[in-house]
Amino acid sequence: GEENEDEAIQSTNDGNSSNTEDTQEASAEEPENEDENDSDNQEQDGDRDDWPDKLRFADTGVEGMEELQREFGPFKEALEDVLDIEVEFFAVTDRIIGATALEYDQVDMMLAGPSEYVQINSTVPESYPFVGIERDEYHAAFIVHEDSEYETLDDIVGTSIAMKDAGSTSGHIGPSSILIEEGYDLDQDFDIQLLDSIRIEAFKNDEVDVLATGIKDYHEMVEEDGEGNYRLIHEGPPLPNDVFLASPELPEDFVEEVKTLMIDHQEQILGSILETGENDKYIQARFLEAQDSDYDPMRRAYETLGLDFD
Amino acid sequence: MPARFQRPSITTIIGLTAFVTLFILGVTHAQLSFDRIFSGITNMLRFLSSAFPPDPSRITAISNAMYETFQIALVGTAIGVVLSVPIALLASTNTSPHFSIRVITRGIVSTLRTIPDLIWALIFVISVGLGPLAGILTIIVDTIGFCARFFSERIEEIQKGPSQALESTGATKIGVISGSIIPLGFPSFVATSLFAVEKSIRSAVVLGLVGAGGIGVELSTSFTLRRYDEALMIVILILVVVIIVEQISSAIRKKVI
Amino acid sequence: MPARFQRPSITTIIGLTAFVTLFILGVTHAQLSFDRIFSGITNMLRFLSSAFPPDPSRITAISNAMYETFQIALVGTAIGVVLSVPIALLASTNTSPHFSIRVITRGIVSTLRTIPDLIWALIFVISVGLGPLAGILTIIVDTIGFCARFFSERIEEIQKGPSQALESTGATKIGVISGSIIPLGFPSFVATSLFAVEKSIRSAVVLGLVGAGGIGVELSTSFTLRRYDEALMIVILILVVVIIVEQISSAIRKKVI
Amino acid sequence: MNALSVREVSKVFKDGTEALSEVSFDIKAGEGVVLLGHNGSGKSTMFKCISGFEKTSSGEIYIGKDETTFLSDRKYRPIRKKVGMVFQNFHLIYNLSVFQNVLFGAMGQSRNFLKVSAPFASKKDREKAMDCLKRVGLDHLAKRRSDQLSGGQQQRVAIARMLMQDPELVLADEPIASLDPKAGREVMELLWEIVDERKLTVLCILHQTDIAMEFGERLIGLNKGKLVLDDAKKNISKDDLNMLYFNVDEKHGGIV
Amino acid sequence: MNALSVREVSKVFKDGTEALSEVSFDIKAGEGVVLLGHNGSGKSTMFKCISGFEKTSSGEIYIGKDETTFLSDRKYRPIRKKVGMVFQNFHLIYNLSVFQNVLFGAMGQSRNFLKVSAPFASKKDREKAMDCLKRVGLDHLAKRRSDQLSGGQQQRVAIARMLMQDPELVLADEPIASLDPKAGREVMELLWEIVDERKLTVLCILHQTDIAMEFGERLIGLNKGKLVLDDAKKNISKDDLNMLYFNVDEKHGGIV
Ligand SMILES: Nc1ncnc2c1ncn2[C@@H]1O[C@H](COP(=O)(O)OP(=O)(O)OP(=O)(O)O)[C@@H](O)[C@H]1O
Ligand SMILES: Nc1ncnc2c1ncn2[C@@H]1O[C@H](COP(=O)(O)OP(=O)(O)OP(=O)(O)O)[C@@H](O)[C@H]1O
Ligand SMILES: [Mg+2]
Ligand SMILES: [Mg+2]
């Protein structure tokens, strides 16, 4: 079946508009493709009229795959190769813009973090996830200095905690929801500072007592400064997967097709993501099907944080 | 003999008092304790040393990003500058056709400037989609907010003598503007415009916002990955471009000043 | 009779060609299709309507944040402006004591400007800790990068006649500067400084970075939560402050222009 | 017909300085009149009021048939076109060429700016500009930037610009103050030649009483903002002239 | 002793204009000399070279005993302090008061700027500034912003500023061009009074040949950048003077 799917999408690529006549014109112009799979093509044209001829793909800077933001070439090529459709890739550095672009049909598919997905889904309720990236070691952690007296979460009541920016999965929503679930009052019990990209330096310089962030940051700090400097006092449960999500404007059978292809070719695609990065050792990743319900815990975290999107 | 000190006007007194009060409040608020500066200096050196030596391994990729950014910044700024000139003329006391037009134009320019880049990026992404075009539009808006304001300030400072000399020949407003205001303001316009180019390059992050890539994304990725030596390399590259732009500015100004 | 067109110099030709080429490349690169702008206009209106009417429910909290930001911005900018004057004098052709000092000062100012706020925030947090002080220091650096550059440009444009008149009395460099350069540049300095205040307020996000709160954090939180009506309220508040600052600028300039 | 009519014009500046008080005079078309007065007597202010750059505090000014007091800039334009001015401090566009500055004199002729910009001006205009420069002896400096001229050369450019305008009424504010004796005399001859040949009207501020007496058929004198002399040359004695300057109280100058 | 010595000074501007060619003259201390010449003959350039604002292309200039050709700005300062200048276009600081502008004349006296700023100057300096203003008849305008003066009044402020400086050598570039006849005469008398009483040296550029002949004990004449006249008044005939202006070829002005 693999081959078939492949070619099916290829034919979509040829028929670049919503009516059959156009499709045939286009096909006629490129007899090469027609030769390959003539009958199949004719048959499927009917329900593939509405398939896009170009996939607008945005990446909102998923944690651990930041490299993809700037070195997206191989990934884009792999995707084009696998899906056999032209892919327009946008590295968007702000999740709000990504969400808004999807809402206003300026983008077809996105790679987003769990927290982003929840946000986007709340604005565009019909958007849905179709492939998740499962990774090792994707959870929030509470880090203190080795020589500090803090051992448990109870000890850090009354201290200052550095987190990332509002809405970050592992650097805000994750740790916050842990604290909430443990029964603390975020406003009363801690001095939480959202320091974004200077959180680690601020922590290293004792500006704050505790750093609550993704486990990846911990590994990085250990790598930089050696063992024995930092201590984990609490690790949260695994966070939901990063997701590829689809715009409701895309035909569902097309998304289905893409999903199958991606899962089938995951080594090639994941390989292309990791090819450029240096942090691949933290990403023992694989693709799997994603459900909207996977993100309900995230939603609850948002709710308990009082960050609801009207 | 004039008195040593003129009695300051009520407005001056109120203004000064307000300034001094706010300043002192601000200083208190900031708990200024400059001694910390020295205590922290070793920390700082340690941090800075993590950025040395700059890491040139990605220089080709970075240069390409820079080149792309430069192109887009150039287009956006050039269009912005061209649009700024008429806007500035409408906004200046001495060239505006009417008081109300002046007030409205000024208001619009201030608004362009006040609305953050993020919102502009949003607006343009919504209307024209992701990509360089949205970036260019954002840069155009930024440039107008900046240049129109500075052009207008300069226009108001131009001595009125030469303009009156042209007016006295029966010249139209446009004649006076093209013959006197523009030539006399030219050195300053050049400086401001080339500063705007530089500014657009430096604020290349906005291109990242709209998915147009560029040097801003490179820099912020280096930061997120805490590769400070790579970040330093990028900063150095930007600095080189900034200095080149400044040199061009000086060279042009030297001819027309 | 002078020729209609002067043969442009080689540098001019090269410069122009480079500009035009880059501009065209940039336009092509951006796939400029301005028709997209019009097709997207309904989208845009829909988006904008989601911000109307502005939501004033958090007005007290917002105003407080604004007030804090204003104080800090004022302190930082005031100090930055004061430091910019001597730096600008060192960096200007007509006032610098020596060619090499000028080049070095210019280089430093360009560097201050090129190093992104984020890095400054990092550096100052490391050396003086989190809080308003780090914010003030970042604003000071920002202000110097901007004001010193613009002051210096204005200083170079000042006519040399009046300065020569003072020099001819045997005045020292400092005398000439205080007696001629500063008074003649004053209107422009005022405008630039008050623009810098405005700029510091608008770029208040940096205060958020160093844990000093302020209006920037409010704005970005409103964004994250997609509460555009609240964001609009904040933008309106900033706009009010920006316009007030502009009015003050005009009022002072009117007296000294 | 009157080329210029000044009726009870007063001008009080914001700070209370009364520069002109109830000055009235008429100048007939084709007359060449000299305006005299001590420093600060209000001569330049009079010119600024006539050309509308200062609003009068009271009184009316007619240029030809047109009342100018309440004219908008737009309505003033056709009138200004007829009035050529030479300013006391020249007011050249310092970073443009001499040639371009002179060409700008023709600005009133066309609403199209390109027609008076050196590269695009018509051959006729360009030749005329060179002609005007030649008349003030500066054709060899046409290409020079105007701030690279000597003081007298700049004044000549200002005169050439006025000539370029083909005005009907000339207001010249000390047009020969910076000129050498020969050039000064020649400029005066040029102005009066215009009056004679083309029947233009010239009102010229001068401090050189000898030249005033030589050229002006009629002399007008201001003192402390008041009109104190207005008569044909033949009726004016040396003493009358001296009175203009010696009657100045200490509030209005007078050197110790 | 020579107050000023100019030795074979030439000045060629960047664009090739030869403004001065091999000009030499000496002026003895206590002399009052008038410098004449047609427009563009190089008079102002001569002054700029003496005060060091233009570098000479060749030749030397001595002020008192000091060779000035290669002096740095810092070394020039004590020399400039002794040389008072009145510029052809006044060069006032337009947005400061008349009083402040005059006070600035004392800048050479102190390294402390506050001592010449109106609010902090010593009583003595303030009184002296008022005195200088009184001598040019402008004490009543001390508070006025200097761009709100008439042309002649501005020129008087420039003269007052020079007086404030207490110079040993005065270089006055057409100091009476914008003054009315009485004021002009009074300023010339003032200058020559200084020469007589305080044994100062004055070099004064004039275009008014009658005043030049009346005041100058000695006259120097430039023509096309060359020294063509340098003699005591008694040896100079009207014709000599006329030659200064009539010998100008079309390349150097001459009005058609
Ligand atoms: N910056 C300059 N570049 C080129 N030529 C110049 C420059 N400044 C002056 N000149 C030329 O040098 C010559 C001498 O100028 P200067 O100002 O000394 O004349 P002057 O004798 O003072 O004349 P005037 O009586 O008109 O003031 C003139 O021909 C003038 O055009
Ligand atoms: N903007 C102003 N504000 C206040 N007073 C002014 C202003 N402009 C000029 N004056 C005063 O008005 C009076 C007349 O000035 P005006 O320039 O008309 O004199 P003038 O006759 O041209 O003198 P001059 O021969 O010196 O050029 C002067 O006393 C002057 O100080
Ligand atoms: Mg006058
Ligand atoms: Mg001269």
Side-chain angles (χ1 to χ4, degrees):
Chain A
E2 214 175 273
E3 296 249 285
N4 260 347
E5 315 276 5
D6 220 329
E7 278 148 16
I9 291 197
Q10 183 165 26
S11 65
T12 326
N13 195 13
D14 299 340
N16 53 0
S17 76
S18 52
N19 75 57
T20 320
E21 282 165 30
D22 267 10
T23 306
Q24 273 164 351
E25 252 177 51
S27 301
E29 277 168 27
E30 286 179 47
E32 201 185 45
N33 287 333
E34 220 163 332
D35 286 348
E36 273 181 46
N37 204 330
D38 213 350
S39 57
D40 228 16
N41 209 2
Q42 297 294 352
E43 221 178 313
Q44 293 181 359
D45 265 347
D47 48 337
R48 295 188 173 186
D49 289 347
D50 51 347
W51 285 24
D53 58 308
K54 192 161 86 178
L55 190 64
R56 295 167 301 172
F57 187 98
D59 163 25
T60 60
V62 174
E63 218 172 316
M65 288 187 284
E66 290 89 353
E67 282 273 1
L68 189 57
Q69 287 270 316
R70 55 181 185 192
E71 288 279 352
F72 54 79
F75 171 71
K76 176 175 173 273
E77 273 158 33
L79 214 55
E80 282 181 335
D81 189 38
V82 169
L83 306 181
D84 205 0
I85 180 172
E86 191 188 333
V87 173
E88 214 179 339
F89 187 97
F90 301 103
V92 181
T93 52
D94 195 288
R95 64 172 84 90
I96 305 156
I97 299 216
T100 314
L102 192 82
E103 183 181 352
Y104 289 92
D105 192 29
Q106 298 290 1
V107 69
D108 302 314
M109 279 186 187
M110 279 176 77
L111 172 56
S115 157
E116 280 138 18
Y117 169 67
V118 172
Q119 280 191 27
I120 291 167
N121 185 255
S122 80
T123 1
V124 195
E126 304 87 50
S127 64
Y128 55 95
F130 62 97
V131 169
I133 311 180
E134 190 188 60
R135 285 190 280 160
D136 269 7
E137 300 242 271
Y138 188 39
H139 57 258
F142 288 78
I143 310 167
V144 296
H145 287 280
E146 180 69 54
D147 52 5
S148 72
E149 73 261 33
Y150 312 122
E151 302 288 347
T152 65
L153 287 185
D154 273 339
D155 295 340
I156 61 170
V157 170
T159 61
S160 52
I161 305 180
M163 293 192 190
K164 212 175 165 191
D165 59 320
S168 154
T169 310
S170 66
H172 182 222
I173 309 294
S176 300
S177 65
I178 293 172
L179 293 177
I180 290 170
E181 265 157 41
E182 298 279 329
Y184 300 107
D185 180 327
L186 290 188
D187 293 324
Q188 299 292 317
D189 295 340
F190 312 100
D191 169 21
I192 292 179
Q193 308 229 27
L194 297 178
L195 297 178
D196 206 351
S197 45
I198 71 164
R199 64 194 184 285
I200 297 179
E201 252 66 39
F203 169 69
K204 283 188 181 178
N205 283 283
D206 293 311
E207 288 301 327
V208 288
D209 304 303
V210 182
L211 175 63
T213 182
I215 189 71
K216 188 176 142 277
D217 286 341
Y218 173 73
H219 290 305
E220 224 172 81
M221 285 159 62
V222 169
E223 193 183 331
E224 267 175 40
D225 300 328
E227 298 276 352
N229 281 313
Y230 312 107
R231 197 147 45 78
L232 290 172
I233 55 169
H234 188 91
E235 290 185 67
L239 290 161
N241 296 329
D242 292 331
V243 280
F244 289 90
L245 59 98
S247 157
E249 310 284 332
L250 281 182
E252 278 181 38
D253 51 344
F254 174 78
V255 177
E256 199 59 32
E257 194 82 53
V258 172
K259 177 166 97 186
T260 328
L261 282 173
M262 282 180 64
I263 292 181
D264 289 347
H265 293 84
Q266 56 175 291
E267 262 162 52
Q268 187 186 349
I269 296 174
L270 279 167
S272 71
I273 296 178
L274 303 180
E275 181 178 311
T276 52
E278 285 174 13
N279 299 309
D280 39 348
K281 63 180 155 178
Y282 302 119
I283 312 176
Q284 293 292 332
R286 67 190 179 94
F287 284 166
L288 29 89
E289 274 193 48
Q291 245 79 60
D292 179 66
S293 58
D294 298 346
Y295 298 89
D296 287 340
M298 218 53 236
R299 291 202 174 89
R300 273 201 304 281
Y302 263 104
E303 267 164 40
T304 42
L305 271 174
L307 303 176
D308 39 27
F309 318 96
D310 9 298
Chain B
M1 187 150 55
R4 278 179 189 272
F5 295 95
Q6 278 186 324
R7 213 193 137 78
S9 73
I10 301 274
T11 1
T12 317
I13 295 176
I14 294 176
L16 267 182
T17 320
F19 172 78
V20 171
T21 318
L22 281 170
F23 188 88
I24 292 173
L25 278 177
V27 171
T28 336
H29 180 81
Q31 302 146 305
L32 284 200
S33 55
F34 277 96
D35 52 317
R36 287 196 66 185
I37 296 183
F38 300 101
S39 71
I41 214 131
T42 47
N43 277 344
M44 205 176 77
L45 289 180
R46 195 159 50 106
F47 163 71
L48 288 180
S49 71
S50 73
F52 281 93
D55 171 13
S57 59
R58 296 192 66 251
I59 189 81
T60 357
I62 297 175
S63 307
N64 279 335
M66 183 74 230
Y67 176 64
E68 248 175 57
T69 305
F70 187 76
Q71 278 185 356
I72 295 181
L74 195 74
V75 173
T77 319
I79 298 177
V81 165
V82 170
L83 295 176
S84 293
V85 175
I87 294 178
L89 291 167
L90 292 179
S92 307
T93 355
N94 48 343
T95 51
S96 185
H98 194 268
F99 172 76
S100 59
I101 294 181
R102 203 188 99 223
V103 172
I104 293 170
T105 326
R106 271 189 180 238
I108 292 174
V109 173
S110 305
T111 311
L112 292 187
R113 215 161 53 225
T114 309
I115 296 179
D117 272 1
L118 182 63
I119 301 192
W120 285 121
L122 264 177
I123 292 178
F124 290 129
V125 163
I126 288 170
S127 46
V128 304
L130 292 169
L133 179 55
I136 290 181
L137 291 172
T138 313
I139 291 177
I140 291 178
V141 169
D142 266 1
T143 306
I144 294 178
F146 177 74
C147 285
R149 152 87 190 241
F150 268 76
F151 287 1
S152 142
E153 226 123 54
R154 186 72 188 91
I155 288 172
E156 291 183 352
E157 274 173 39
I158 288 175
Q159 335 135 261
K160 49 182 198 277
S163 298
Q164 287 186 350
L166 296 195
E167 259 179 86
S168 80
T169 67
T172 58
K173 264 236 141 103
I174 297 189
V176 174
I177 287 165
S178 336
S180 155
I181 304 277
I182 305 268
L184 293 175
F186 198 70
S188 178
F189 296 168
V190 168
T192 310
S193 306
L194 280 155
F195 184 86
V197 172
E198 186 203 307
K199 185 168 164 294
S200 304
I201 291 169
R202 281 188 285 115
S203 66
V205 269
V206 76
L207 296 182
L209 284 182
V210 299
I215 196 83
V217 174
E218 294 283 340
L219 189 58
S220 75
T221 309
S222 298
F223 268 118
T224 323
L225 302 178
R226 299 165 41 77
R227 295 200 197 125
Y228 295 127
D229 49 356
E230 204 175 281
L232 181 61
M233 192 65 229
I234 298 176
V235 169
I236 291 176
L237 191 70
I238 300 180
L239 185 60
V240 168
V241 175
V242 164
I243 288 178
I244 292 176
V245 172
E246 243 189 333
Q247 291 307 315
I248 296 177
S249 171
S250 300
I252 300 183
R253 280 157 48 75
K254 207 178 274 170
K255 295 217 167 170
V256 289
I257 219 163
Chain C
M1 184 149 56
R4 278 181 189 270
F5 295 95
Q6 277 185 322
R7 211 191 141 78
S9 73
I10 302 273
T11 4
T12 316
I13 294 175
I14 294 175
L16 266 183
T17 320
F19 172 78
V20 171
T21 319
L22 281 171
F23 188 90
I24 291 172
L25 278 177
V27 171
T28 335
H29 179 82
Q31 302 147 303
L32 282 201
S33 54
F34 278 94
D35 52 319
R36 287 184 68 186
I37 295 180
F38 300 101
S39 71
I41 215 130
T42 46
N43 273 348
M44 205 177 77
L45 289 179
R46 195 152 55 98
F47 166 72
L48 288 180
S49 71
S50 72
F52 279 95
D55 172 11
S57 58
R58 295 192 64 253
I59 189 81
T60 354
I62 297 175
S63 307
N64 279 336
M66 184 72 232
Y67 176 63
E68 252 174 57
T69 306
F70 186 75
Q71 279 185 356
I72 296 181
L74 194 72
V75 173
T77 319
I79 298 176
V81 165
V82 169
L83 296 176
S84 293
V85 175
I87 295 177
L89 290 167
L90 292 178
S92 306
T93 354
N94 47 345
T95 52
S96 186
H98 194 268
F99 171 75
S100 59
I101 293 181
R102 202 188 98 223
V103 171
I104 293 170
T105 326
R106 264 182 190 248
I108 293 174
V109 173
S110 305
T111 312
L112 292 187
R113 214 163 51 226
T114 308
I115 295 179
D117 271 3
L118 182 61
I119 302 193
W120 286 120
L122 263 176
I123 292 179
F124 290 128
V125 164
I126 290 171
S127 47
V128 304
L130 290 171
L133 179 54
I136 289 181
L137 290 172
T138 313
I139 291 177
I140 291 178
V141 168
D142 264 2
T143 305
I144 294 178
F146 177 75
C147 285
R149 152 84 190 242
F150 268 77
F151 287 1
S152 144
E153 226 124 54
R154 186 70 189 94
I155 288 172
E156 291 183 351
E157 273 173 40
I158 288 175
Q159 331 136 264
K160 49 180 197 280
S163 298
Q164 288 187 350
L166 297 195
E167 259 179 88
S168 79
T169 67
T172 58
K173 264 237 141 103
I174 297 192
V176 174
I177 287 166
S178 334
S180 154
I181 305 278
I182 306 266
L184 292 176
F186 199 69
S188 178
F189 296 168
V190 168
T192 310
S193 305
L194 279 154
F195 183 85
V197 173
E198 185 202 308
K199 185 167 164 300
S200 303
I201 292 170
R202 280 188 285 114
S203 66
V205 269
V206 75
L207 295 181
L209 275 184
V210 299
I215 196 83
V217 175
E218 294 285 339
L219 189 59
S220 74
T221 311
S222 301
F223 268 120
T224 311
L225 303 179
R226 301 168 55 79
R227 298 210 187 111
Y228 294 130
D229 48 355
E230 201 175 287
L232 181 62
M233 193 65 230
I234 298 177
V235 169
I236 289 175
L237 193 69
I238 301 180
L239 185 61
V240 169
V241 175
V242 165
I243 288 178
I244 291 175
V245 172
E246 243 189 335
Q247 290 308 314
I248 296 176
S249 171
S250 302
I252 300 183
R253 281 158 48 76
K254 206 178 275 172
K255 294 216 165 171
V256 289
I257 217 161
Chain D
M1 204 197 73
N2 286 338
L4 173 68
S5 236
V6 174
R7 303 272 166 82
E8 315 226 321
V9 165
S10 297
K11 170 73 195 177
V12 182
F13 283 104
K14 265 209 296 276
D15 67 347
T17 313
E18 193 176 16
L20 293 173
S21 59
E22 309 210 332
V23 175
S24 302
F25 58 86
D26 295 305
I27 295 183
K28 281 196 279 296
E31 258 188 312
V33 180
V34 171
L35 180 55
L36 297 168
H38 60 85
N39 291 136
S41 58
K43 306 180 295 299
S44 298
T45 306
M46 186 76 248
F47 273 20
K48 283 183 198 145
C49 289
I50 295 173
S51 53
F53 296 125
E54 293 281 1
K55 289 273 158 253
T56 55
S57 307
S58 69
E60 293 106 51
I61 294 173
Y62 294 82
I63 295 176
K65 300 173 296 301
D66 304 301
E67 224 276 49
T68 62
T69 324
F70 298 107
L71 287 186
S72 68
D73 263 6
R74 215 170 54 75
K75 294 237 178 82
Y76 223 125
R77 198 181 307 139
I79 299 174
R80 285 195 178 129
K81 194 183 140 186
K82 296 187 288 182
V83 181
M85 294 193 74
V86 179
F87 289 83
Q88 190 165 9
N89 27 8
F90 326 149
H91 291 331
L92 303 180
I93 318 293
Y94 79 95
N95 55 2
L96 295 182
S97 72
V98 167
F99 185 64
Q100 180 61 76
N101 267 285
V102 175
L103 258 180
F104 279 164
M107 269 206 172
Q109 259 83 298
S110 159
R111 315 192 99 256
N112 181 353
F113 171 72
L114 287 185
K115 292 217 171 138
V116 292
S117 75
F120 304 107
S122 69
K123 189 141 188 296
K124 210 173 111 253
D125 279 349
R126 285 163 56 83
E127 273 164 5
K128 185 167 159 208
M130 281 312 284
D131 211 54
C132 294
L133 272 174
K134 212 171 270 159
R135 293 184 85 164
V136 297
L138 277 190
D139 48 327
H140 62 295
L141 293 180
K143 283 190 207 167
R144 183 86 64 82
R145 239 176 84 139
S146 61
D147 61 346
Q148 294 179 349
L149 295 181
S150 79
Q153 287 165 342
Q154 290 185 23
Q155 186 151 47
R156 297 192 200 184
V157 176
I159 294 166
R161 178 169 65 187
M162 180 275 287
L163 293 175
M164 183 76 194
Q165 189 183 337
D166 274 338
E168 296 174 15
L169 168 65
V170 175
L171 303 177
D173 197 347
E174 305 184 28
I176 62 166
S178 306
L179 300 189
D180 65 51
K182 174 160 173 274
R185 174 164 296 273
E186 283 167 339
V187 164
M188 287 309 291
E189 276 160 8
L190 181 66
L191 285 176
W192 257 252
E193 208 177 282
I194 296 176
V195 176
D196 288 345
E197 275 176 26
R198 299 203 234 154
K199 295 288 164 234
L200 302 195
T201 319
V202 174
L203 179 57
C204 178
I205 297 177
L206 286 180
H207 280 311
Q208 295 90 327
T209 41
D210 50 341
I211 300 209
M213 286 301 272
E214 184 179 341
F215 285 91
E217 301 141 34
R218 175 178 156 206
L219 277 65
I220 297 180
L222 288 179
N223 186 308
K224 290 180 272 174
K226 293 204 180 63
L227 191 91
V228 293
L229 177 79
D230 182 355
D231 216 332
K233 175 167 61 181
K234 57 179 192 300
N235 305 331
I236 296 175
S237 67
K238 264 241 135 75
D239 277 356
D240 289 337
L241 286 183
N242 286 345
M243 281 303 285
L244 276 178
Y245 304 105
F246 279 83
N247 199 14
V248 182
D249 60 21
E250 88 279 12
K251 279 267 132 186
H252 281 81
I255 293 186
V256 183
Chain E
M1 205 197 75
N2 286 338
L4 173 69
S5 231
V6 174
R7 302 271 168 80
E8 313 226 322
V9 164
S10 296
K11 170 72 195 179
V12 183
F13 282 104
K14 265 208 300 278
D15 66 348
T17 313
E18 193 177 15
L20 293 172
S21 59
E22 310 210 330
V23 175
S24 302
F25 58 86
D26 296 308
I27 295 183
K28 281 195 280 295
E31 258 190 314
V33 181
V34 171
L35 180 55
L36 297 167
H38 61 84
N39 290 135
S41 57
K43 306 179 297 297
S44 298
T45 306
M46 187 73 247
F47 273 20
K48 282 183 198 147
C49 289
I50 295 172
S51 52
F53 297 125
E54 293 281 0
K55 290 272 157 255
T56 55
S57 307
S58 69
E60 294 107 49
I61 294 173
Y62 295 82
I63 294 176
K65 302 170 296 299
D66 304 300
E67 224 274 52
T68 63
T69 324
F70 297 108
L71 287 186
S72 68
D73 263 6
R74 216 170 54 75
K75 294 236 179 83
Y76 223 124
R77 200 181 308 139
I79 300 174
R80 284 195 179 132
K81 195 183 138 184
K82 297 187 287 181
V83 182
M85 294 193 73
V86 179
F87 289 83
Q88 189 164 9
N89 27 9
F90 326 147
H91 291 332
L92 303 181
I93 319 294
Y94 79 93
N95 54 4
L96 296 182
S97 71
V98 167
F99 185 64
Q100 179 61 76
N101 268 286
V102 175
L103 258 180
F104 279 164
M107 269 206 173
Q109 260 83 298
S110 159
R111 313 192 100 254
N112 181 352
F113 171 72
L114 287 186
K115 292 217 173 139
V116 292
S117 73
F120 304 105
S122 68
K123 190 143 190 292
K124 209 174 110 252
D125 279 349
R126 287 164 53 83
E127 271 164 7
K128 187 169 159 204
M130 281 311 285
D131 210 54
C132 294
L133 272 174
K134 212 171 269 160
R135 292 184 85 166
V136 296
L138 278 190
D139 46 327
H140 62 297
L141 294 180
K143 284 191 209 167
R144 182 85 65 82
R145 240 177 82 138
S146 62
D147 61 346
Q148 294 180 350
L149 294 181
S150 80
Q153 288 165 343
Q154 290 186 24
Q155 186 151 44
R156 297 190 199 186
V157 176
I159 294 166
R161 178 170 64 187
M162 181 274 288
L163 294 175
M164 183 76 193
Q165 189 183 340
D166 273 338
E168 297 174 15
L169 168 65
V170 174
L171 302 177
D173 197 346
E174 305 186 26
I176 61 167
S178 306
L179 299 189
D180 65 50
K182 175 163 172 273
R185 176 164 294 274
E186 282 166 341
V187 163
M188 288 308 291
E189 276 161 6
L190 182 67
L191 285 177
W192 257 251
E193 207 176 283
I194 296 175
V195 175
D196 288 345
E197 275 175 26
R198 301 202 233 155
K199 293 292 166 230
L200 301 195
T201 319
V202 174
L203 179 56
C204 178
I205 297 177
L206 286 179
H207 281 310
Q208 294 91 326
T209 42
D210 49 342
I211 299 208
M213 287 300 273
E214 185 179 338
F215 286 90
E217 302 140 31
R218 176 178 157 206
L219 276 67
I220 298 180
L222 287 178
N223 186 310
K224 289 180 271 175
K226 293 202 181 65
L227 190 89
V228 293
L229 177 78
D230 182 356
D231 217 332
K233 174 166 65 182
K234 57 180 190 297
N235 305 330
I236 296 174
S237 68
K238 264 241 132 80
D239 277 357
D240 287 338
L241 285 184
N242 285 344
M243 280 303 284
L244 275 178
Y245 304 106
F246 279 84
N247 200 14
V248 183
D249 62 19
E250 87 280 9
K251 278 267 133 185
H252 281 78
I255 293 187
V256 182

